[in-house]
Structures are given as structure tokens and as C-alpha cells.
Amino acid sequence: MPVRSTTHFTWQVLRAVKRSKKAPVGRTLRLAPTAKTKDGSFLTALVEEGLLARATGNATDPFEATYALTEKGQHAAEYGEYEFQLKPRVSAPQR
């Protein structure tokens, strides 16, 4: 499997979850109040990537959900990289 390195921001979020004694609320994981983190889509992306898992809550309100690290997320929090699955190419139909 190929390896992908995490961005600095993603690594910071994963480390914050790792250091937390109990599952943190998504609102506390918004470490940098920027336009990219305004709607909480970064949390949904981390869940879809398999780095975080929702302990409570759902995708409709990511800031109210609580999060825990997955095994892949623990590795990424420690080493700054993780294995990911390549998506198969969809070829366009030939005419």
C-alpha cells in the first residue's frame, strides 16, 4: 500500500485527540480558526480517510460529535504518515 504524509494541521489534530484523556468534542479540534475549518468538513474528511472515528454524534453536526483515533490514526499521530487505499481509475467509455 502507498504511504501518504499528513499535513501539519492534520497531524496537530490527531495529536490533540491522542493527548486527550476522553473523546474530544469536534469544536475543540478546530485548532486554527480559518476559513477551511469553519464548517467542520475537515473532521468529516478525517473520518472518511479512516484516521478518526466518531464516538458519538453524526456527520450533520461535526462540531458536536466526539472523536477517537483509529489504528491508522494512531500511527499517523505518531509518525506523520499513514497507508491509504488507491481509488481505481474510472475510464471514460470509448466511442
Side-chain angles (χ1 to χ4, degrees):
M1 286 184 113
V3 175
R4 177 181 290 163
S5 61
T6 62
T7 64
H8 183 70
F9 177 73
T10 299
W11 180 77
Q12 285 181 316
V13 170
L14 296 174
R15 293 294 293 180
V17 175
K18 185 173 181 167
R19 286 190 305 265
S20 180
K21 300 215 184 300
K22 58 182 183 174
V25 178
R27 187 178 315 101
T28 61
L29 296 176
R30 187 179 179 210
L31 304 175
T34 63
K36 290 182 180 181
T37 63
K38 188 175 185 177
D39 61 354
S41 61
F42 72 98
L43 293 167
T44 304
L46 291 174
V47 170
E48 290 172 354
E49 195 67 38
L51 299 173
L52 290 178
R54 283 187 198 87
T56 63
N58 55 33
T60 58
D61 195 5
F63 287 132
E64 294 302 318
T66 58
Y67 296 90
L69 285 175
T70 61
E71 187 176 327
K72 186 191 299 189
Q74 288 179 356
H75 182 81
E78 189 66 32
Y79 300 106
E81 63 184 19
Y82 61 96
E83 292 181 343
F84 70 102
Q85 186 70 30
L86 286 176
K87 294 179 183 173
R89 279 191 181 173
V90 178
S91 60
Q94 295 182 1
R95 295 182 182 177

